[in-house]
Amino acid sequence: MRDDSQPSFDVLSSAWTTSFTEFAASYSPGVLPWGRSLPSASPADEIPHATTIIVATCAGGVVMAADRRGTSGNMIVQRDAEKINRVDEFSCVGAAGAGSFGKELTRLYAVELEHYEKLQGRSLSVEGKANRLATMIRSNLPLAMQGMVVIPILAAYDETRDAGRIFTYDVGGGPYETDHFHAIGSGSVFARGAMKKLYREGASSDEAVFACVQALYDAADDDSATGGPDVTRKIYPRVAVITSEGFRLLSDDEVDTHVRRMLDGRMSAPDGPTAPLS
């Protein structure tokens, strides 16, 4: 007599797939974010949202920076939100949109990459990482259509190119590789506008970090959902640098140095540095 309490052969054999999400979907789909259904009265507008995240390439790597504000409607619900997530030694993901779903998606993505590496004995290529994340975003489309939108951005160091790479997405997946810099979230249009004047190809990681801090300040200046640096509470943007040495999250003291330098300059030039006309 068959014991239905035990996993079937098909489920057990699927454990050998290199995709953790495929295995989870066959064994227990309810554990996946998109394996659940929302109540008819969707609370999407009440869920805290993460806002502005900016990414820029630098000499031999890539920088990701994010503000710390979480909002729900017109209310600030968190001042020290964490929006940058390390997913492996040479990659990180920032997620704008529904905060809780963004965290769940990026944690699952980190498990996805680790699962592949354990089974294959090697890490995915950068293109493989970008495509795996695209598949997961596509799976979330039904919930996105109900308001649980999560828009991630992937930053990775490519060992074969000795360079940083940036991949962006829409709610249907993607991915779209972007050169130089990109931003997501409600303040992204202002951050990208600032980076058009501040970005320098081949800049050092310190120069790229400073440019990102400037761009986040401009975003906070024009977008109420983006939080600027809070020097009284010592809440600063989160900044990560990925190079051949791996992922590194800058300490508050390191970011404080960039923030105070930026604020000193804004005392005499409130709109920030200007770009030459020629």
Side-chain angles (χ1 to χ4, degrees), residues 7 18 28 67 70 98 153:
T18 59
S28 183
D67 82 307
I153 187 167

Side-chain angles (χ1 to χ4, degrees), residues 83-227:
K83 305 174 187 179
I84 295 178
N85 305 275
R86 176 190 183 278
V87 291
D88 71 7
E89 186 180 1
F90 295 107
S91 313
C92 69
V93 169
S100 57
F101 272 60
K103 284 185 178 296
E104 197 167 5
L105 179 69
T106 51
R107 287 170 181 164
L108 180 60
Y109 179 57
V111 175
E112 177 85 358
L113 297 185
E114 185 178 0
H115 180 75
Y116 178 92
E117 188 169 346
K118 285 181 176 179
L119 289 185
Q120 296 295 312
R122 60 183 178 85
S123 60
L124 269 168
S125 66
V126 174
E127 290 83 0
K129 294 176 186 179
N131 290 331
R132 283 291 174 101
L133 184 54
T135 301
M136 295 174 69
I137 297 167
R138 231 170 272 128
S139 299
N140 191 54
L141 186 58
L143 288 183
M145 300 304 292
Q146 297 180 63
M148 296 299 184
V149 179
V150 176
I151 302 293
I153 187 167
L154 170 66
Y157 170 77
D158 191 332
E159 296 177 88
T160 62
R161 299 186 184 184
D162 187 29
R165 298 176 67 180
I166 302 167
F167 293 87
T168 63
Y169 302 85
D170 56 29
V171 293
Y176 313 104
E177 185 166 9
T178 302
D179 293 329
H180 306 318
F181 64 86
H182 197 75
I184 58 173
S186 61
S188 60
V189 62
F190 307 111
R192 286 202 300 269
M195 285 300 288
K196 285 183 179 180
K197 307 299 186 292
L198 297 171
Y199 180 81
R200 299 290 183 271
E201 190 170 359
S204 68
S205 59
D206 274 351
E207 290 170 330
V209 168
F210 188 61
C212 288
V213 168
Q214 291 272 15
L216 282 176
Y217 188 90
D218 285 332
D221 203 28
D222 289 300
D223 173 45
S224 62
T226 303

